[in-house]
Amino acid sequence: MTHNTALRAGAALLATAALGTSVWAQTTAPQMANVPPTASPTPVVVIVRVPKPWYAPRAVVAGKMRDTIPQYAHLPGLAFKAFSFERESGDFGGVYYWRDAASAQAWFNPAWFARVKAERGADASVRIFEAPVSVDNTPSGTPASTDSSAVATLVEIPLPKGIGRERMLAEFNATVPQYQKVPGLLRKHFILSQGDSSNGTFGGVYLWRDEASAKAWFNAAWHQRVTQTYGQSAKIEWFDAPILLPSLDTPNTIAPPALLVAAP
């Protein structure tokens, strides 16, 4: 991806139609503000990417991220944010875990998009996924860190047709014990995206302690198993996550069964 001189803005199957309007995915910045929020309290994960200018060292951008910590630590409805750099492009942004879609949309509103456009010189990329089940494998919850070696991975697999939403959620929950035992896995958010009849996806947003843990899981055998099980290969996006920020506000807490946290 070309850089400009200014900042620019598994588990199972699910029938795409079963999601209704409960999830938005692959949403471009101007479009997201026009999507009605879900009436469901289901949490959502939002992935934001803003192209980094070629002249800005990553360390400088990371410093700017740290400056915004007080703002995000108390953002209404935001339960957790991993500040991120996308590996392939260098885009900066974040992996957000929101209490519900309404909270996410209240933040990513038209004024937010206009501000990004004005300050960065282009639109941000914003994608939102329903996250009905999540696992936090750290006792008492993933702690804050401003010097993390964590990496995040976004895994998406095309949705085959014919499987209902209830079965999908049952499959997610059935695999929770497996993911509670994966070495180095800090968090996993099981995700669903609606798309249209040809591009809906399911998968997960994973937060790993380090790159080695992630690569040990996403090995050749994993890719082969996904292809054999679902008839499609998985798409994986990699993000460095130098700053981890759980919310400091109790009202933002997400309780079971949506989020399962390891015991102290």
Side-chain angles (χ1 to χ4, degrees):
M1 182 178 295
T2 303
H3 295 297
N4 295 327
T5 57
L7 287 171
R8 298 194 312 169
L13 320 174
L14 177 71
T16 301
L19 285 176
T21 59
S22 63
V23 65
W24 326 313
Q26 306 296 342
T27 306
T28 62
Q31 293 172 333
M32 182 175 173
N34 297 322
V35 178
T38 175
S40 167
T42 304
V44 297
V45 171
V46 178
I47 297 191
V48 176
R49 289 173 54 178
V50 181
K52 183 180 77 66
W54 62 268
Y55 57 82
R58 183 164 134 165
V60 172
V61 177
K64 297 294 186 181
M65 290 176 169
R66 292 186 182 92
D67 292 341
T68 66
I69 286 175
Q71 176 186 26
Y72 287 105
H74 298 282
L75 205 60
L78 181 61
F80 187 89
K81 178 181 178 181
F83 293 78
S84 63
F85 290 94
E86 198 272 335
R87 282 278 181 89
E88 184 175 347
S89 65
D91 292 355
F92 69 93
V95 178
Y96 299 71
Y97 182 44
W98 295 89
R99 185 179 57 203
D100 50 42
S103 297
Q105 192 173 31
W107 177 248
F108 298 111
N109 57 29
W112 184 90
F113 290 118
R115 184 172 67 253
V116 170
K117 178 76 171 181
E119 295 177 356
R120 314 306 183 194
D123 293 321
S125 168
V126 175
R127 289 177 289 174
I128 183 165
F129 304 89
E130 184 182 9
V133 180
S134 296
V135 176
D136 188 339
N137 286 332
T138 306
S140 301
T142 306
S145 174
T146 57
D147 188 23
S148 168
S149 61
V151 298
T153 50
L154 166 62
V155 176
E156 293 185 87
I157 303 170
L159 281 165
K161 298 179 181 179
I163 303 298
R165 175 181 174 79
E166 291 305 314
R167 176 174 167 184
M168 186 69 182
L169 297 181
E171 294 289 346
F172 280 172
N173 282 290
T175 61
V176 163
Q178 173 187 6
Y179 287 101
Q180 289 176 320
K181 300 175 183 178
V182 176
L185 180 61
L186 301 178
R187 303 170 72 97
K188 179 181 178 180
H189 304 288
F190 295 82
I191 60 170
L192 308 171
S193 73
Q194 182 182 3
D196 59 30
S197 60
S198 63
N199 67 6
T201 64
F202 73 97
V205 174
Y206 303 68
L207 182 65
W208 300 91
R209 180 179 59 213
D210 50 38
E211 182 177 355
S213 299
K215 288 187 172 180
W217 178 253
F218 296 120
N219 54 25
W222 182 90
H223 285 277
Q224 182 179 21
R225 184 170 65 252
V226 167
T227 302
Q228 291 176 345
T229 302
Y230 305 114
Q232 300 276 358
S233 59
K235 176 185 177 182
I236 305 180
E237 296 179 46
W238 292 76
F239 302 81
D240 293 318
I243 301 172
L244 308 180
L245 183 65
S247 174
L248 298 180
D249 290 349
T250 301
N252 294 337
T253 301
I254 298 173
L259 176 64
L260 303 174
V261 181

